[in-house]
Amino acid sequence: MKLKKRIFILPSLIIMIVAIMFFSFVKKIENFANQKINLNQEMIFTVPAGTGRAGLGILLVQHNLIKDHQLLSWLFRLKPELAKFKAGTYRLQQGMSLRAILQLFSSGKEVQFSIRFVEGSRLSDWEKILQNAPYLKHEAEGKSPKELTDALDMKAEEPLEGWLYPDTYLYTAGTSDVELLKRAHQKMNMALEQEWKNREKNLPYKNAYEMLIMASIIEKETAIDSERTKVASVFINRLRLKMRLQTDPTVIYGLGDKYTGSIFRSNLTAFTPYNTYMIEGLPPTPIAMPSLASIKAAAHPAVTGYLYFVANGNGGHTFTANLAEHNRAVNLYRQRLKQDK
């Protein structure tokens, strides 16, 4: 009888021991999944395309996020939903658990990077910003102007200057710079098309591109919203009277790398296609990427008799209708400069 009891107790004991060991192991895996990852600061982590379970474990070990990738393989067996990770680049933050990281990988919610292009910047400025942008695929570099405009599906034959909408753009890792430029061009094209359609009647523009050129000049002349339509009115009035625009920002653009921070009298008498002290009408292309506010000002200029404006020393401008008034405003500005020295 005692022998039968022992025979019955022994398998039960083994089962109990195995069960205890199993639940203990499961608990260990659960603790492994819920442990906080050793991160002192935010980390950008990339799961390359084609990465399998073993490959992900090795990557996590290499980045010192876990110590044992064997435990990770057991976690995937016990929690297969955590193994459905997607390739991409993710933002890992302090305090995240391994489970939270794997859930992030499974969600496919990649980190988004932002890139900012300011109003009034040039194409050359955009190129530098794109070159320094992290996780961006560089495809525009080395392309000829024609190849680049073709890549952006530009309908017109004009250069790219002025055709990109200044704004903040979000992108994920692996996005190409050409794709970002295409988005910026489409946005500018839509804005210009809308404002051209709603423009004031009888403006001295042959087409929407000339209005874009005007908007770029307005952008470089003032950053004060309340002044934009007044600046526009000065140039519109001059165009109507066949007066030269005589605007320094176009001269500066025409000088290119020769511009050192000051405009000299010799610059005003040297011909370039952008020297509006010498050429009639508008320059051949925009001189910057204008804001929507400047495009609107070019489409809806104020109705004034102004033909001149000059800085007033307080960040704004003094607008005048004739040369005598303008000269007085210039003298006042020069006096303020002397007083400030």
Side-chain angles (χ1 to χ4, degrees), residues 283-299:
T285 73
I287 59 171
M289 311 298 179
S291 63
L292 181 59
S294 289
I295 297 174
K296 285 181 177 291

Side-chain angles (χ1 to χ4, degrees), residues 105-309:
F105 293 167
S106 298
S107 73
K109 293 179 181 177
E110 293 188 69
V111 59
Q112 287 196 316
F113 302 93
S114 67
I115 189 167
R116 170 70 177 161
F117 301 106
V118 299
E119 297 87 350
S121 55
R122 298 181 183 180
L123 180 60
S124 56
D125 300 318
W126 283 53
E127 289 170 346
K128 291 174 184 175
I129 292 170
L130 289 170
Q131 287 170 2
N132 295 322
Y135 299 94
L136 195 64
K137 189 188 297 181
H138 299 287
E139 294 180 344
E141 195 172 350
K143 286 185 182 295
S144 68
K146 180 64 167 62
E147 289 172 334
L148 189 54
T149 53
D150 286 346
L152 301 187
D153 299 325
M154 285 183 64
K155 298 176 184 177
E157 294 296 321
E158 293 92 1
L160 196 51
E161 190 75 89
W163 272 118
L164 303 174
Y165 193 96
D167 204 350
T168 298
Y169 294 88
L170 300 178
Y171 66 94
T172 55
T175 299
S176 75
D177 48 8
V178 170
E179 179 59 33
L180 278 180
L181 292 175
K182 186 181 291 187
R183 285 163 56 189
H185 170 61
Q186 290 171 346
K187 195 168 182 179
M188 178 60 83
N189 199 43
M190 289 175 61
L192 183 64
E193 188 176 303
Q194 182 67 27
E195 295 306 320
W196 177 250
K197 189 184 300 182
N198 297 327
R199 74 191 184 280
E200 298 294 330
K201 294 180 180 179
N202 301 319
L203 293 176
Y205 306 131
K206 295 176 184 175
N207 48 46
Y209 187 59
E210 287 197 350
M211 193 171 82
L212 183 65
I213 295 172
M214 176 64 80
S216 74
I217 297 173
I218 296 167
E219 188 67 47
K220 297 302 289 186
E221 283 287 9
T222 184
I224 300 174
D225 284 341
S226 62
E227 286 192 349
R228 293 181 199 271
T229 57
K230 291 180 184 178
V231 169
S233 76
V234 169
F235 294 132
I236 291 295
N237 291 339
R238 281 177 164 263
L239 286 175
R240 284 173 173 158
L241 293 171
K242 307 298 182 184
M243 293 176 67
R244 291 174 180 172
L245 297 186
Q246 296 184 322
T247 169
D248 291 352
T250 62
V251 176
I252 291 169
Y253 188 84
L255 288 172
D257 294 337
K258 294 178 182 177
Y259 178 65
T260 58
S262 299
I263 297 179
F264 302 99
R265 188 173 297 275
S266 59
N267 299 141
L268 302 181
T269 56
F271 175 81
T272 78
Y274 294 88
N275 186 348
T276 50
Y277 285 83
M278 297 192 70
I279 67 167
E280 306 291 336
L282 293 163
T285 73
I287 59 171
M289 311 298 179
S291 63
L292 181 59
S294 289
I295 297 174
K296 285 181 177 291
H300 304 278
V303 179
T304 75
Y306 297 142
L307 291 173
Y308 305 89
F309 62 92

Side-chain angles (χ1 to χ4, degrees), residues 10 42 134 297:
L10 188 59
E42 181 181 280

Side-chain angles (χ1 to χ4, degrees), residues 18-53:
V18 170
I20 291 171
M21 290 178 64
F22 174 75
F23 285 114
S24 176
F25 182 72
V26 170
K27 184 66 174 175
K28 180 180 180 180
I29 297 300
E30 284 288 336
N31 290 338
F32 173 68
N34 294 326
Q35 70 181 351
K36 297 279 182 70
I37 296 300
N38 182 29
L39 273 180
N40 295 323
Q41 59 184 3
E42 181 181 280
M43 173 187 286
I44 303 300
F45 187 93
T46 299
V47 180
T51 302
R53 296 183 180 187

